[in-house]
Amino acid sequence: MSWLDEIRWTADGLVPVIAQEADTGTILMFAWMNRESLALTAEEGYAVYWSRSRNKLWRKGEESGHRQKVREIRLDCDEDVILLKVEQAGGIACHTGRHHCFFRILRDGQWETVDPVLKSPETIYR
């Protein structure tokens, strides 16, 4: 049996993935992987996700240069969530140009943006 067979994939053949900055513990982003993207991630050492909206493999940083070098791949106790501990190139993980994707906090019933844009998306994506 392959290590990939030990994962509890969704009915769509996907598994949720959390990318965490290895050095700081900051949760950078959430994404999805299929068997191929997870196998490629393990093989290449860089995060490869599955884009549900584009229905294709997505190598993190392929356009922006903000690649994620994978230090560890972990599987949770229920075998249905992957945790990637990564080194985030360029310090930007979010397509909005922020360090991470969780830049809004709920305060008094309203979402408030609490983290700055580090680089304009217009300059990141051509």
Side-chain angles (χ1 to χ4, degrees):
M1 172 168 38
S2 164
W3 61 274
L4 291 165
D5 295 329
E6 296 181 46
I7 296 168
R8 294 179 190 225
W9 303 93
T10 67
D12 295 332
L14 302 174
V15 65
V17 181
I18 299 165
Q20 180 183 39
E21 198 164 40
D23 289 340
T24 67
T26 299
I27 302 300
L28 298 173
M29 56 176 279
F30 168 85
W32 295 93
M33 286 184 173
N34 63 10
R35 288 178 73 94
E36 182 182 10
S37 62
L38 183 52
L40 286 168
T41 296
E43 179 184 318
E44 297 175 2
Y46 288 88
V48 180
Y49 299 107
W50 177 255
S51 171
R52 295 181 306 160
S53 61
R54 293 178 284 177
N55 202 35
K56 69 175 196 166
L57 292 175
W58 157 46
R59 283 179 164 76
K60 178 67 176 160
E62 64 191 348
E63 292 179 31
S64 67
H66 300 139
R67 298 176 72 194
Q68 293 176 339
K69 182 172 178 45
V70 177
R71 282 206 205 154
E72 291 181 359
I73 300 174
R74 293 180 176 233
L75 181 63
D76 80 322
C77 59
D78 292 326
E79 302 171 333
D80 62 359
V81 177
I82 298 291
L83 172 66
L84 297 183
K85 292 198 174 200
V86 303
E87 295 172 27
Q88 180 63 58
I92 296 174
C94 185
H95 75 281
T96 66
R98 291 177 173 87
H99 179 61
H100 56 83
C101 295
F102 299 96
F103 56 88
R104 287 176 253 188
I105 189 168
L106 185 63
R107 288 193 180 142
D108 299 321
Q110 305 258 335
W111 290 111
E112 183 180 329
T113 298
V114 294
D115 293 301
V117 172
L118 302 176
K119 191 171 185 182
S120 167
E122 289 79 25
T123 62
I124 295 172
Y125 304 100
R126 304 179 209 316

